[in-house]
Amino acid sequence: DVKVTQSSRYLVKRTGEKVFLECVQDMDHENMFWYRQDPGLGLRLIYFSYDVKMKEKGDIPEGYSVSREKKERFSLILESASTNQTSMYLCASSSGQSTYEQYFGPGTRLTVT
Amino acid sequence: DQQVKQNSPSLSVQEGRISILNCDYTNSMFDYFLWYKKYPAEGPTFLISISSIKDKNEDGRFTVFLNKSAKHLSLHIVPSQPGDSAVYFCAAADTGTASKLTFGTGTRLQVTL
């Protein structure tokens, strides 16, 4: 079974803090993704990565950065957290040869106060 | 610009009846479609997919129909069960460009006894 884990289930941070969200997958998948889920907006892609040290902007990259130093790990960084970044953050991975099926982690509920 | 739309935010169906969830897309380059199911406090899980070379794909109680000319797909669940109560997301991919998915806004299905 593919397993995608995220470092925290719940996180509360203050405005202006630097926030790190970590994601680890154990299936040797090439592709990794970060989404945020907000009511009425569905899942929106923030960043994705096809390989180690490679990254591509998704639909809403502003205010975020990412790091992929190892194949199994993909980090999302909020350089200076703001209240409009309060959201559910979901990490996913997929094989480069798969039928586009992505496997998701359980999510991190981030609250910025 | 919402390229994948789920116009019904919620749906209530009696146990044993058919649930029909709808999804429309605008990007004619999309050629692969997936449905995901999401329970509260969990990540989405893959349900079923369909390639644009087909118009129907079936897996147990779940059937996905694709109407390319109308840019419309639907998910049928027969018979509906209480455990099917969740949020359902449709997603689309342009397999010619990238491994990323574009998600709809989701439909909350409630199956009542």
Side-chain angles (χ1 to χ4, degrees):
Chain A
D1 264 0
V2 175
K3 192 161 185 184
V4 180
T5 56
Q6 295 184 230
S7 50
S8 306
R9 293 301 300 269
Y10 300 94
L11 210 51
V12 180
K13 295 292 181 180
R14 293 189 183 274
T15 301
E17 278 193 88
K18 191 168 186 175
V19 182
F20 292 88
L21 302 181
E22 299 261 306
C23 175
V24 178
Q25 51 94 2
D26 66 357
M27 281 300 292
D28 201 36
H29 282 170
E30 287 83 3
N31 307 319
M32 296 189 75
F33 308 83
W34 274 106
Y35 296 87
R36 61 179 282 178
Q37 182 196 357
D38 300 289
L41 297 176
L43 275 69
R44 294 181 293 166
L45 182 64
I46 304 171
Y47 267 98
F48 59 106
S49 169
Y50 290 128
D51 202 349
V52 175
K53 296 193 186 295
M54 295 185 69
K55 60 185 178 184
E56 299 266 353
K57 291 181 180 179
D59 300 316
I60 51 164
E62 297 78 19
Y64 303 94
S65 62
V66 290
S67 172
R68 192 163 180 204
E69 296 296 318
K70 293 185 177 182
K71 190 175 186 180
E72 68 271 17
R73 191 178 296 268
F74 192 34
S75 302
L76 180 70
I77 303 152
L78 288 67
E79 294 289 342
S80 178
S82 63
T83 55
N84 63 11
Q85 293 179 309
T86 291
S87 187
M88 169 69 81
Y89 289 88
L90 292 158
C91 175
S93 71
S94 71
S95 164
Q97 290 80 39
S98 80
T99 54
Y100 291 80
E101 180 182 338
Q102 294 182 12
Y103 297 85
F104 283 83
T108 296
R109 169 69 64 185
L110 172 67
T111 302
V112 183
T113 61
Chain B
D1 177 32
Q2 192 76 33
Q3 296 187 69
V4 179
K5 300 177 186 178
Q6 295 176 255
N7 292 318
S8 298
S10 63
L11 177 68
S12 183
V13 171
Q14 271 191 321
E15 182 180 11
R17 302 278 183 129
I18 183 171
S19 295
I20 300 176
L21 295 92
N22 294 304
C23 180
D24 296 293
Y25 62 97
T26 57
N27 188 339
S28 58
M29 299 303 293
F30 289 149
D31 57 355
Y32 195 83
F33 304 89
L34 306 89
W35 283 94
Y36 281 81
K37 173 180 180 180
K38 186 181 185 300
Y39 292 119
E42 293 183 16
T45 54
F46 169 74
L47 258 183
I48 192 168
S49 61
I50 187 166
S51 165
S52 60
I53 62 172
K54 294 185 175 182
D55 54 18
K56 177 183 174 181
N57 189 26
E58 197 170 349
D59 183 2
R61 296 186 299 114
F62 302 92
T63 302
V64 56
F65 295 91
L66 176 62
N67 182 333
K68 289 185 289 293
S69 60
K71 294 191 178 71
H72 177 83
L73 63 155
S74 61
L75 175 68
H76 293 209
I77 307 173
V78 184
S80 301
Q81 299 174 353
D84 296 329
S85 297
V87 178
Y88 290 77
F89 292 98
C90 65
D94 171 2
T95 61
T97 56
S99 297
K100 66 175 189 171
L101 299 177
T102 300
F103 283 83
T105 51
T107 296
R108 182 176 302 278
L109 173 66
Q110 184 173 7
V111 179
T112 58
L113 298 172

